[in-house]
Amino acid sequence: MPELLKQRVETCYQQAEAFFKRPFPRPQVSFKLRGQKAGVAHLHENLLRFNLQLYRENQDDFLRQTVAHEVAHLVAHQLFGERIQAHGEEWQLIMRGVYELPPNRCHNYEVQRRVATRYIYRCPCPQSDFPFTAQRHKLVRQGRRYLCRRCREILVYSGETRVE
């Protein structure tokens, strides 16, 4: 599946080269992006990272819009330099002029939120629930202490968990 995405990156570069009549160095393409972002352009590393899960779930729009969106960031950076805004007029020019696509800043793909367990810590203050992540809970078990900002007492694990 990622081969189609890599082909689309190459097509976007060929379109930009034909439009601007100059070559552009090809980026490294990574599929190690998770969470809510569909893609990220790392300007100084000439690197594109894509969210494989969102690609699988929204393949047509992702190939058309998201890939062009991220390539346009790298092309704009290489053409206009450091001082441009991420979604400014230079980037918009590339989206409209080169790719003939709307310069949408964000995608509207449905994103599944991760389920997270929170460990509830308390202090003597009223309504003092402090939901800790699993990582922070582990640090407490290893001896780290956390204090309430109001009463300065040590937060103590209540034995309760909550799923968010």
Side-chain angles (χ1 to χ4, degrees):
M1 227 187 291
E3 283 310 309
L4 275 177
L5 198 147
K6 287 180 181 178
Q7 288 172 7
R8 174 65 173 147
V9 168
E10 179 59 28
T11 301
C12 287
Y13 269 95
Q14 289 173 3
Q15 286 178 270
E17 289 174 338
F19 188 90
F20 292 108
K21 298 181 179 18
R22 62 157 279 192
F24 293 99
R26 299 305 191 259
Q28 180 183 348
V29 177
S30 166
F31 302 103
K32 294 182 179 178
L33 183 63
R34 295 171 55 190
Q36 297 186 359
K37 292 183 179 180
V40 176
H42 296 274
L43 306 177
H44 299 291
E45 293 89 2
N46 199 28
L47 167 67
L48 294 173
R49 291 173 51 216
F50 293 106
N51 185 322
L52 215 47
Q53 183 66 35
L54 291 180
Y55 169 61
R56 285 188 194 108
E57 294 169 359
N58 308 278
Q59 190 170 347
D60 292 340
D61 188 70
F62 199 102
L63 287 172
R64 187 177 54 79
Q65 184 74 28
T66 301
V67 173
H69 176 120
E70 299 308 331
V71 170
H73 282 301
L74 293 181
V75 170
H77 176 74
Q78 291 164 12
L79 282 171
F80 304 107
E82 302 271 329
R83 299 193 181 270
I84 62 172
Q85 292 184 344
H87 297 104
E89 56 188 85
E90 298 87 354
W91 175 82
Q92 291 180 32
L93 162 90
I94 294 166
M95 287 298 290
R96 285 192 186 105
V98 177
Y99 303 124
E100 299 177 355
L101 291 170
N104 298 335
R105 288 177 46 112
C106 303
H107 67 78
N108 56 4
Y109 306 143
E110 182 115 354
V111 177
Q112 295 293 321
R113 296 200 41 93
R114 272 189 11 216
V115 174
T117 300
R118 301 293 182 213
Y119 298 83
I120 309 302
Y121 281 73
R122 294 202 173 98
C123 73
C125 295
Q127 289 129 11
S128 69
D129 280 9
F130 295 90
F132 279 23
T133 63
Q135 184 177 8
R136 183 168 280 188
H137 178 64
K138 181 180 176 184
L139 290 171
V140 170
R141 291 192 349 243
Q142 293 172 351
R144 184 170 295 178
R145 293 181 180 178
Y146 293 92
L147 302 178
C148 173
R149 289 186 177 168
R150 284 179 277 168
C151 70
R152 308 301 297 162
E153 292 288 325
I154 295 173
L155 299 179
V156 178
Y157 179 50
S158 68
E160 299 172 31
T161 59
R162 178 170 69 213
V163 177
E164 297 179 348

